Amino acid sequence: GRVIWRQTLARRSHQAGRDLKVGIWESLRHEPLRTFQRYSLGDIMNRATGDLNAGRSIHGFTIVLTYDMVFLAILGTVA
């Protein structure tokens, strides 16, 4: 049961990554053209990818570990 629980919670990290990606690209749409002349598109994409992966990883592990802690605390108190 715990494996399914972890997979379900970890799936939420992919949804959080999608939300972050949409937010980044939405903000880039409104940047002036000189921003893209100053920084190459590859550089912007590289920075965004690193930030997205770090945010998704932190979000996913935080959710899983929080639920694990609550579940084990309840189980430890009852048993």
Side-chain angles (χ1 to χ4, degrees), residues 58-76:
I58 289 170
H59 182 76
F61 285 121
T62 301
I63 287 176
V64 169
L65 292 176
T66 300
Y67 277 89
D68 277 350
M69 181 186 68
V70 169
F71 178 74
L72 291 175
I74 292 171
L75 186 65

mmCIF file with all atom_site columns, all heavy atoms in Angstrom, residues 58-76:
data_model
loop_
_atom_site.group_PDB
_atom_site.id
_atom_site.type_symbol
_atom_site.label_atom_id
_atom_site.label_alt_id
_atom_site.label_comp_id
_atom_site.label_asym_id
_atom_site.label_entity_id
_atom_site.label_seq_id
_atom_site.pdbx_PDB_ins_code
_atom_site.Cartn_x
_atom_site.Cartn_y
_atom_site.Cartn_z
_atom_site.occupancy
_atom_site.B_iso_or_equiv
_atom_site.pdbx_formal_charge
_atom_site.auth_seq_id
_atom_site.auth_comp_id
_atom_site.auth_asym_id
_atom_site.auth_atom_id
_atom_site.pdbx_PDB_model_num
ATOM 1   N N   . ILE A 1 58 ? 11.914 19.138 -4.972 1.00 0.00 ? 58 ILE A N   1
ATOM 2   C CA  . ILE A 1 58 ? 11.665 19.586 -3.599 1.00 0.00 ? 58 ILE A CA  1
ATOM 3   C C   . ILE A 1 58 ? 10.196 19.433 -3.253 1.00 0.00 ? 58 ILE A C   1
ATOM 4   O O   . ILE A 1 58 ? 9.842  18.949 -2.172 1.00 0.00 ? 58 ILE A O   1
ATOM 5   C CB  . ILE A 1 58 ? 12.130 21.046 -3.416 1.00 0.00 ? 58 ILE A CB  1
ATOM 6   C CG1 . ILE A 1 58 ? 13.651 21.111 -3.437 1.00 0.00 ? 58 ILE A CG1 1
ATOM 7   C CG2 . ILE A 1 58 ? 11.589 21.630 -2.115 1.00 0.00 ? 58 ILE A CG2 1
ATOM 8   C CD1 . ILE A 1 58 ? 14.202 22.510 -3.504 1.00 0.00 ? 58 ILE A CD1 1
ATOM 9   N N   . HIS A 1 59 ? 9.322  19.815 -4.157 1.00 0.00 ? 59 HIS A N   1
ATOM 10  C CA  . HIS A 1 59 ? 7.883  19.726 -3.904 1.00 0.00 ? 59 HIS A CA  1
ATOM 11  C C   . HIS A 1 59 ? 7.449  18.269 -3.692 1.00 0.00 ? 59 HIS A C   1
ATOM 12  O O   . HIS A 1 59 ? 6.720  17.962 -2.751 1.00 0.00 ? 59 HIS A O   1
ATOM 13  C CB  . HIS A 1 59 ? 7.112  20.346 -5.069 1.00 0.00 ? 59 HIS A CB  1
ATOM 14  C CG  . HIS A 1 59 ? 5.637  20.355 -4.889 1.00 0.00 ? 59 HIS A CG  1
ATOM 15  N ND1 . HIS A 1 59 ? 5.011  21.239 -4.059 1.00 0.00 ? 59 HIS A ND1 1
ATOM 16  C CD2 . HIS A 1 59 ? 4.670  19.566 -5.411 1.00 0.00 ? 59 HIS A CD2 1
ATOM 17  C CE1 . HIS A 1 59 ? 3.708  21.004 -4.082 1.00 0.00 ? 59 HIS A CE1 1
ATOM 18  N NE2 . HIS A 1 59 ? 3.480  20.002 -4.901 1.00 0.00 ? 59 HIS A NE2 1
ATOM 19  N N   . GLY A 1 60 ? 7.906  17.387 -4.564 1.00 0.00 ? 60 GLY A N   1
ATOM 20  C CA  . GLY A 1 60 ? 7.515  15.983 -4.465 1.00 0.00 ? 60 GLY A CA  1
ATOM 21  C C   . GLY A 1 60 ? 8.000  15.327 -3.186 1.00 0.00 ? 60 GLY A C   1
ATOM 22  O O   . GLY A 1 60 ? 7.238  14.648 -2.485 1.00 0.00 ? 60 GLY A O   1
ATOM 23  N N   . PHE A 1 61 ? 9.270  15.520 -2.863 1.00 0.00 ? 61 PHE A N   1
ATOM 24  C CA  . PHE A 1 61 ? 9.809  14.896 -1.656 1.00 0.00 ? 61 PHE A CA  1
ATOM 25  C C   . PHE A 1 61 ? 9.185  15.481 -0.393 1.00 0.00 ? 61 PHE A C   1
ATOM 26  O O   . PHE A 1 61 ? 8.963  14.768 0.579  1.00 0.00 ? 61 PHE A O   1
ATOM 27  C CB  . PHE A 1 61 ? 11.334 15.034 -1.607 1.00 0.00 ? 61 PHE A CB  1
ATOM 28  C CG  . PHE A 1 61 ? 12.033 14.096 -2.548 1.00 0.00 ? 61 PHE A CG  1
ATOM 29  C CD1 . PHE A 1 61 ? 12.860 14.589 -3.542 1.00 0.00 ? 61 PHE A CD1 1
ATOM 30  C CD2 . PHE A 1 61 ? 11.862 12.732 -2.445 1.00 0.00 ? 61 PHE A CD2 1
ATOM 31  C CE1 . PHE A 1 61 ? 13.505 13.736 -4.415 1.00 0.00 ? 61 PHE A CE1 1
ATOM 32  C CE2 . PHE A 1 61 ? 12.496 11.867 -3.314 1.00 0.00 ? 61 PHE A CE2 1
ATOM 33  C CZ  . PHE A 1 61 ? 13.319 12.372 -4.306 1.00 0.00 ? 61 PHE A CZ  1
ATOM 34  N N   . THR A 1 62 ? 8.873  16.777 -0.410 1.00 0.00 ? 62 THR A N   1
ATOM 35  C CA  . THR A 1 62 ? 8.253  17.391 0.754  1.00 0.00 ? 62 THR A CA  1
ATOM 36  C C   . THR A 1 62 ? 6.871  16.798 1.009  1.00 0.00 ? 62 THR A C   1
ATOM 37  O O   . THR A 1 62 ? 6.524  16.490 2.153  1.00 0.00 ? 62 THR A O   1
ATOM 38  C CB  . THR A 1 62 ? 8.144  18.918 0.569  1.00 0.00 ? 62 THR A CB  1
ATOM 39  O OG1 . THR A 1 62 ? 9.455  19.444 0.365  1.00 0.00 ? 62 THR A OG1 1
ATOM 40  C CG2 . THR A 1 62 ? 7.517  19.578 1.769  1.00 0.00 ? 62 THR A CG2 1
ATOM 41  N N   . ILE A 1 63 ? 6.085  16.626 -0.040 1.00 0.00 ? 63 ILE A N   1
ATOM 42  C CA  . ILE A 1 63 ? 4.752  16.039 0.129  1.00 0.00 ? 63 ILE A CA  1
ATOM 43  C C   . ILE A 1 63 ? 4.853  14.610 0.644  1.00 0.00 ? 63 ILE A C   1
ATOM 44  O O   . ILE A 1 63 ? 4.170  14.229 1.599  1.00 0.00 ? 63 ILE A O   1
ATOM 45  C CB  . ILE A 1 63 ? 3.971  16.081 -1.205 1.00 0.00 ? 63 ILE A CB  1
ATOM 46  C CG1 . ILE A 1 63 ? 3.542  17.492 -1.527 1.00 0.00 ? 63 ILE A CG1 1
ATOM 47  C CG2 . ILE A 1 63 ? 2.746  15.186 -1.140 1.00 0.00 ? 63 ILE A CG2 1
ATOM 48  C CD1 . ILE A 1 63 ? 2.851  17.634 -2.850 1.00 0.00 ? 63 ILE A CD1 1
ATOM 49  N N   . VAL A 1 64 ? 5.689  13.797 0.023  1.00 0.00 ? 64 VAL A N   1
ATOM 50  C CA  . VAL A 1 64 ? 5.811  12.395 0.426  1.00 0.00 ? 64 VAL A CA  1
ATOM 51  C C   . VAL A 1 64 ? 6.303  12.284 1.867  1.00 0.00 ? 64 VAL A C   1
ATOM 52  O O   . VAL A 1 64 ? 5.736  11.535 2.669  1.00 0.00 ? 64 VAL A O   1
ATOM 53  C CB  . VAL A 1 64 ? 6.755  11.633 -0.541 1.00 0.00 ? 64 VAL A CB  1
ATOM 54  C CG1 . VAL A 1 64 ? 7.105  10.263 0.009  1.00 0.00 ? 64 VAL A CG1 1
ATOM 55  C CG2 . VAL A 1 64 ? 6.109  11.498 -1.904 1.00 0.00 ? 64 VAL A CG2 1
ATOM 56  N N   . LEU A 1 65 ? 7.324  13.028 2.221  1.00 0.00 ? 65 LEU A N   1
ATOM 57  C CA  . LEU A 1 65 ? 7.860  12.927 3.578  1.00 0.00 ? 65 LEU A CA  1
ATOM 58  C C   . LEU A 1 65 ? 6.905  13.485 4.626  1.00 0.00 ? 65 LEU A C   1
ATOM 59  O O   . LEU A 1 65 ? 6.843  12.965 5.745  1.00 0.00 ? 65 LEU A O   1
ATOM 60  C CB  . LEU A 1 65 ? 9.216  13.625 3.644  1.00 0.00 ? 65 LEU A CB  1
ATOM 61  C CG  . LEU A 1 65 ? 10.328 12.929 2.859  1.00 0.00 ? 65 LEU A CG  1
ATOM 62  C CD1 . LEU A 1 65 ? 11.606 13.756 2.919  1.00 0.00 ? 65 LEU A CD1 1
ATOM 63  C CD2 . LEU A 1 65 ? 10.583 11.535 3.369  1.00 0.00 ? 65 LEU A CD2 1
ATOM 64  N N   . THR A 1 66 ? 6.126  14.494 4.286  1.00 0.00 ? 66 THR A N   1
ATOM 65  C CA  . THR A 1 66 ? 5.143  15.027 5.228  1.00 0.00 ? 66 THR A CA  1
ATOM 66  C C   . THR A 1 66 ? 4.059  13.991 5.514  1.00 0.00 ? 66 THR A C   1
ATOM 67  O O   . THR A 1 66 ? 3.705  13.750 6.675  1.00 0.00 ? 66 THR A O   1
ATOM 68  C CB  . THR A 1 66 ? 4.507  16.324 4.679  1.00 0.00 ? 66 THR A CB  1
ATOM 69  O OG1 . THR A 1 66 ? 5.535  17.285 4.481  1.00 0.00 ? 66 THR A OG1 1
ATOM 70  C CG2 . THR A 1 66 ? 3.467  16.870 5.634  1.00 0.00 ? 66 THR A CG2 1
ATOM 71  N N   . TYR A 1 67 ? 3.541  13.370 4.481  1.00 0.00 ? 67 TYR A N   1
ATOM 72  C CA  . TYR A 1 67 ? 2.528  12.336 4.684  1.00 0.00 ? 67 TYR A CA  1
ATOM 73  C C   . TYR A 1 67 ? 3.106  11.133 5.431  1.00 0.00 ? 67 TYR A C   1
ATOM 74  O O   . TYR A 1 67 ? 2.432  10.545 6.273  1.00 0.00 ? 67 TYR A O   1
ATOM 75  C CB  . TYR A 1 67 ? 1.921  11.902 3.353  1.00 0.00 ? 67 TYR A CB  1
ATOM 76  C CG  . TYR A 1 67 ? 0.817  12.817 2.890  1.00 0.00 ? 67 TYR A CG  1
ATOM 77  C CD1 . TYR A 1 67 ? 1.093  13.930 2.115  1.00 0.00 ? 67 TYR A CD1 1
ATOM 78  C CD2 . TYR A 1 67 ? -0.501 12.574 3.233  1.00 0.00 ? 67 TYR A CD2 1
ATOM 79  C CE1 . TYR A 1 67 ? 0.092  14.778 1.695  1.00 0.00 ? 67 TYR A CE1 1
ATOM 80  C CE2 . TYR A 1 67 ? -1.521 13.414 2.819  1.00 0.00 ? 67 TYR A CE2 1
ATOM 81  C CZ  . TYR A 1 67 ? -1.222 14.512 2.041  1.00 0.00 ? 67 TYR A CZ  1
ATOM 82  O OH  . TYR A 1 67 ? -2.217 15.345 1.630  1.00 0.00 ? 67 TYR A OH  1
ATOM 83  N N   . ASP A 1 68 ? 4.337  10.758 5.112  1.00 0.00 ? 68 ASP A N   1
ATOM 84  C CA  . ASP A 1 68 ? 4.989  9.662  5.843  1.00 0.00 ? 68 ASP A CA  1
ATOM 85  C C   . ASP A 1 68 ? 5.105  9.993  7.324  1.00 0.00 ? 68 ASP A C   1
ATOM 86  O O   . ASP A 1 68 ? 4.827  9.159  8.184  1.00 0.00 ? 68 ASP A O   1
ATOM 87  C CB  . ASP A 1 68 ? 6.389  9.390  5.283  1.00 0.00 ? 68 ASP A CB  1
ATOM 88  C CG  . ASP A 1 68 ? 6.366  8.500  4.055  1.00 0.00 ? 68 ASP A CG  1
ATOM 89  O OD1 . ASP A 1 68 ? 5.300  7.935  3.752  1.00 0.00 ? 68 ASP A OD1 1
ATOM 90  O OD2 . ASP A 1 68 ? 7.424  8.386  3.410  1.00 0.00 ? 68 ASP A OD2 1
ATOM 91  N N   . MET A 1 69 ? 5.509  11.222 7.634  1.00 0.00 ? 69 MET A N   1
ATOM 92  C CA  . MET A 1 69 ? 5.693  11.629 9.020  1.00 0.00 ? 69 MET A CA  1
ATOM 93  C C   . MET A 1 69 ? 4.360  11.600 9.775  1.00 0.00 ? 69 MET A C   1
ATOM 94  O O   . MET A 1 69 ? 4.285  11.086 10.893 1.00 0.00 ? 69 MET A O   1
ATOM 95  C CB  . MET A 1 69 ? 6.287  13.035 9.086  1.00 0.00 ? 69 MET A CB  1
ATOM 96  C CG  . MET A 1 69 ? 6.531  13.527 10.502 1.00 0.00 ? 69 MET A CG  1
ATOM 97  S SD  . MET A 1 69 ? 7.055  15.240 10.555 1.00 0.00 ? 69 MET A SD  1
ATOM 98  C CE  . MET A 1 69 ? 5.571  16.059 10.021 1.00 0.00 ? 69 MET A CE  1
ATOM 99  N N   . VAL A 1 70 ? 3.307  12.134 9.172  1.00 0.00 ? 70 VAL A N   1
ATOM 100 C CA  . VAL A 1 70 ? 1.994  12.138 9.825  1.00 0.00 ? 70 VAL A CA  1
ATOM 101 C C   . VAL A 1 70 ? 1.507  10.710 10.027 1.00 0.00 ? 70 VAL A C   1
ATOM 102 O O   . VAL A 1 70 ? 1.034  10.344 11.113 1.00 0.00 ? 70 VAL A O   1
ATOM 103 C CB  . VAL A 1 70 ? 0.977  12.966 8.991  1.00 0.00 ? 70 VAL A CB  1
ATOM 104 C CG1 . VAL A 1 70 ? -0.441 12.771 9.506  1.00 0.00 ? 70 VAL A CG1 1
ATOM 105 C CG2 . VAL A 1 70 ? 1.355  14.431 9.005  1.00 0.00 ? 70 VAL A CG2 1
ATOM 106 N N   . PHE A 1 71 ? 1.603  9.880  9.001  1.00 0.00 ? 71 PHE A N   1
ATOM 107 C CA  . PHE A 1 71 ? 1.153  8.492  9.094  1.00 0.00 ? 71 PHE A CA  1
ATOM 108 C C   . PHE A 1 71 ? 1.926  7.729  10.166 1.00 0.00 ? 71 PHE A C   1
ATOM 109 O O   . PHE A 1 71 ? 1.337  7.020  10.996 1.00 0.00 ? 71 PHE A O   1
ATOM 110 C CB  . PHE A 1 71 ? 1.309  7.804  7.736  1.00 0.00 ? 71 PHE A CB  1
ATOM 111 C CG  . PHE A 1 71 ? 0.913  6.362  7.752  1.00 0.00 ? 71 PHE A CG  1
ATOM 112 C CD1 . PHE A 1 71 ? -0.419 5.997  7.801  1.00 0.00 ? 71 PHE A CD1 1
ATOM 113 C CD2 . PHE A 1 71 ? 1.878  5.362  7.723  1.00 0.00 ? 71 PHE A CD2 1
ATOM 114 C CE1 . PHE A 1 71 ? -0.785 4.651  7.826  1.00 0.00 ? 71 PHE A CE1 1
ATOM 115 C CE2 . PHE A 1 71 ? 1.532  4.029  7.742  1.00 0.00 ? 71 PHE A CE2 1
ATOM 116 C CZ  . PHE A 1 71 ? 0.189  3.674  7.781  1.00 0.00 ? 71 PHE A CZ  1
ATOM 117 N N   . LEU A 1 72 ? 3.246  7.875  10.180 1.00 0.00 ? 72 LEU A N   1
ATOM 118 C CA  . LEU A 1 72 ? 4.056  7.148  11.175 1.00 0.00 ? 72 LEU A CA  1
ATOM 119 C C   . LEU A 1 72 ? 3.842  7.684  12.580 1.00 0.00 ? 72 LEU A C   1
ATOM 120 O O   . LEU A 1 72 ? 3.879  6.917  13.553 1.00 0.00 ? 72 LEU A O   1
ATOM 121 C CB  . LEU A 1 72 ? 5.515  7.204  10.779 1.00 0.00 ? 72 LEU A CB  1
ATOM 122 C CG  . LEU A 1 72 ? 5.891  6.413  9.521  1.00 0.00 ? 72 LEU A CG  1
ATOM 123 C CD1 . LEU A 1 72 ? 7.348  6.636  9.157  1.00 0.00 ? 72 LEU A CD1 1
ATOM 124 C CD2 . LEU A 1 72 ? 5.598  4.940  9.689  1.00 0.00 ? 72 LEU A CD2 1
ATOM 125 N N   . ALA A 1 73 ? 3.583  8.980  12.720 1.00 0.00 ? 73 ALA A N   1
ATOM 126 C CA  . ALA A 1 73 ? 3.288  9.548  14.044 1.00 0.00 ? 73 ALA A CA  1
ATOM 127 C C   . ALA A 1 73 ? 1.981  9.000  14.593 1.00 0.00 ? 73 ALA A C   1
ATOM 128 O O   . ALA A 1 73 ? 1.890  8.630  15.775 1.00 0.00 ? 73 ALA A O   1
ATOM 129 C CB  . ALA A 1 73 ? 3.251  11.068 13.979 1.00 0.00 ? 73 ALA A CB  1
ATOM 130 N N   . ILE A 1 74 ? 0.960  8.925  13.736 1.00 0.00 ? 74 ILE A N   1
ATOM 131 C CA  . ILE A 1 74 ? -0.324 8.364  14.178 1.00 0.00 ? 74 ILE A CA  1
ATOM 132 C C   . ILE A 1 74 ? -0.180 6.889  14.500 1.00 0.00 ? 74 ILE A C   1
ATOM 133 O O   . ILE A 1 74 ? -0.656 6.403  15.524 1.00 0.00 ? 74 ILE A O   1
ATOM 134 C CB  . ILE A 1 74 ? -1.410 8.603  13.103 1.00 0.00 ? 74 ILE A CB  1
ATOM 135 C CG1 . ILE A 1 74 ? -1.727 10.089 13.006 1.00 0.00 ? 74 ILE A CG1 1
ATOM 136 C CG2 . ILE A 1 74 ? -2.665 7.799  13.395 1.00 0.00 ? 74 ILE A CG2 1
ATOM 137 C CD1 . ILE A 1 74 ? -2.623 10.449 11.825 1.00 0.00 ? 74 ILE A CD1 1
ATOM 138 N N   . LEU A 1 75 ? 0.509  6.168  13.620 1.00 0.00 ? 75 LEU A N   1
ATOM 139 C CA  . LEU A 1 75 ? 0.709  4.740  13.837 1.00 0.00 ? 75 LEU A CA  1
ATOM 140 C C   . LEU A 1 75 ? 1.536  4.490  15.085 1.00 0.00 ? 75 LEU A C   1
ATOM 141 O O   . LEU A 1 75 ? 1.242  3.586  15.874 1.00 0.00 ? 75 LEU A O   1
ATOM 142 C CB  . LEU A 1 75 ? 1.394  4.114  12.616 1.00 0.00 ? 75 LEU A CB  1
ATOM 143 C CG  . LEU A 1 75 ? 1.548  2.599  12.628 1.00 0.00 ? 75 LEU A CG  1
ATOM 144 C CD1 . LEU A 1 75 ? 0.165  1.952  12.586 1.00 0.00 ? 75 LEU A CD1 1
ATOM 145 C CD2 . LEU A 1 75 ? 2.365  2.150  11.425 1.00 0.00 ? 75 LEU A CD2 1
ATOM 146 N N   . GLY A 1 76 ? 2.554  5.306  15.320 1.00 0.00 ? 76 GLY A N   1
ATOM 147 C CA  . GLY A 1 76 ? 3.385  5.148  16.508 1.00 0.00 ? 76 GLY A CA  1
ATOM 148 C C   . GLY A 1 76 ? 2.648  5.490  17.797 1.00 0.00 ? 76 GLY A C   1
ATOM 149 O O   . GLY A 1 76 ? 2.887  4.894  18.850 1.00 0.00 ? 76 GLY A O   1
#
